[in-house]
């Protein structure tokens, strides 16, 4: 079989790892919807429902180095670009039908991520019962800081998570407020897809989502992880 390709294959998507020269090769980006109660409420939903998932393409990732302030363009088509600060789980060992009790052994590490969202387009699609892709899976929609290996993090479930925009606090919560915790999320996700090393899971955002405009500086923090700083480029 020929290994020649018609044109150059896309370069691999990789993320920085704190304290390592080697980089984390990214396979897929899974995202969990409405996984904090107060955010579900602000989006008009109440009650615990089974977790649901969507994906972003791996090359939507904007991987940042420790200490770097990155930038993303203000995307096309939208007039309502929203920030969603999220804990990202990096999978180091794959598997399917992983029970929650074993799930944390599949985790390589954690990072701070932003699930940037074209909210107006997402809402249009929701209303029509159509897929969310255009609202969620656009180019450069997933800025993420370097991955901190899990053994250096301590108890992530007790961490606080927050986002400021131009120094003003917009989102603040704690990881223990996840409706479906990390282990339960991996159990549900691995029942639907075979997880692979290199998969990233954006675990959902707490309340306080809102719009950003060109020039805004977003700074996301989770205790124990490298801070994520991203500027929205001018139009
Ligand atoms: Mn999200």
């Amino acid at each position: 079989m020929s290994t020649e390709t018609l044109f150059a294959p896309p370069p691999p998507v990789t993320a920085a790892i704190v304290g390592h020269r080697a980089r984390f090769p990214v396979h897929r980006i899974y995202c969990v919807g409405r996984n904090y109660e107060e955010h579900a409420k602000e989006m008009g939903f109440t009650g615990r429902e089974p977790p649901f998932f969507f994906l972003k393409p791996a090359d939507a990732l904007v991987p940042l180095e420790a200490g770097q302030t990155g930038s993303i363009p203000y995307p096309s088509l939208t007039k309502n670009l929203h920030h969603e600060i999220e804990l990202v789980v990096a999978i180091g060992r794959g598997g399917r039908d992983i029970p929650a009790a074993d799930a944390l052994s599949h985790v390589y590490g954690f990072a701070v991520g932003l699930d940037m969202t074209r909210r107006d387009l997402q809402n249009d699609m929701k209303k029509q019962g159509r897929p969310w892709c255009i609202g969620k899976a656009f180019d450069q929609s997933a800025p993420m800081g370097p991955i901190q290996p899990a053994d250096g993090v301590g108890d992530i479930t007790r961490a606080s998570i927050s986002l400021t925009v131009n120094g003003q606090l917009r989102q603040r919560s704690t990881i223990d407020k996840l409706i479906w915790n990390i282990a339960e999320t991996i159990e549900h996700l691995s029942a639907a897809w075979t997880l692979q090393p290199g998969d990233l899971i954006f675990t959902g955002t707490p309340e306080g989502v809102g719009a950003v405009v060109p020039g805004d500086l977003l700074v996301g923090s989770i205790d124990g992880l490298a801070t994520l700083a991203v500027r929205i480029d001018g139009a």
Side-chain angles (χ1 to χ4, degrees):
M1 189 185 74
S2 167
T3 55
E4 187 186 348
T5 57
L6 189 60
F7 46 83
V13 177
T14 65
I17 304 171
V18 175
H20 289 252
R21 225 175 64 85
R23 294 179 65 85
F24 184 89
V26 175
H27 178 244
R28 290 181 184 163
I29 303 175
Y30 293 100
C31 302
V32 187
R34 294 195 290 267
N35 203 17
Y36 288 81
E37 191 179 350
E38 293 305 316
H39 172 63
K41 282 185 195 162
E42 76 181 351
M43 300 303 285
F45 296 84
T46 54
R48 198 186 204 212
E49 55 178 351
F52 68 92
F53 305 101
F54 58 92
L55 289 98
K56 295 182 187 247
D59 67 357
L61 194 75
V62 180
L64 300 181
E65 310 306 305
Q68 179 190 5
T69 297
S71 67
I72 59 170
Y74 195 92
S76 63
L77 301 181
T78 185
K79 291 187 167 59
N80 197 17
L81 177 65
H82 272 205
H83 55 75
E84 295 192 355
I85 190 69
E86 309 203 358
L87 170 68
V88 182
V89 174
I91 296 295
R93 191 158 61 86
R96 53 182 291 199
D97 295 324
I98 300 166
D102 294 340
L104 297 184
S105 71
H106 292 257
V107 174
Y108 175 75
F110 302 101
V112 180
L114 276 164
D115 167 16
M116 299 304 293
T117 302
R118 294 192 282 207
R119 190 72 72 200
D120 42 359
L121 302 186
Q122 184 200 24
N123 287 342
D124 286 350
M125 292 299 114
K126 272 189 200 173
K127 259 182 243 157
Q128 300 179 65
R130 290 178 177 170
W132 292 5
C133 310
I134 200 167
K136 286 289 196 179
F138 55 94
D139 297 345
Q140 302 181 70
S141 58
M144 187 184 79
I147 294 168
Q148 177 74 51
D151 51 20
V153 174
D155 187 0
I156 195 74
T157 62
R158 305 166 81 91
S160 65
I161 178 171
S162 65
L163 179 81
T164 64
V165 177
N166 304 327
Q168 304 270 68
L169 185 67
R170 290 276 189 96
Q171 294 187 265
R172 182 161 64 189
S173 189
T174 51
I175 301 301
D176 64 5
K177 293 205 169 62
L178 281 170
I179 296 172
W180 299 95
N181 68 30
I182 296 163
E184 292 166 334
T185 296
I186 290 171
E187 177 174 305
H188 279 91
L189 191 58
S190 69
W193 290 274
T194 301
L195 293 185
Q196 302 286 351
D199 285 336
L200 298 175
I201 307 169
F202 281 60
T203 55
T205 196
E207 66 274 21
V209 300
V212 290
V213 296
D216 282 351
L217 177 65
L218 289 64
V219 177
S221 306
I222 297 175
D223 295 337
L225 306 183
T227 297
L228 172 64
V230 181
R231 193 173 290 283
I232 310 296
D233 277 346

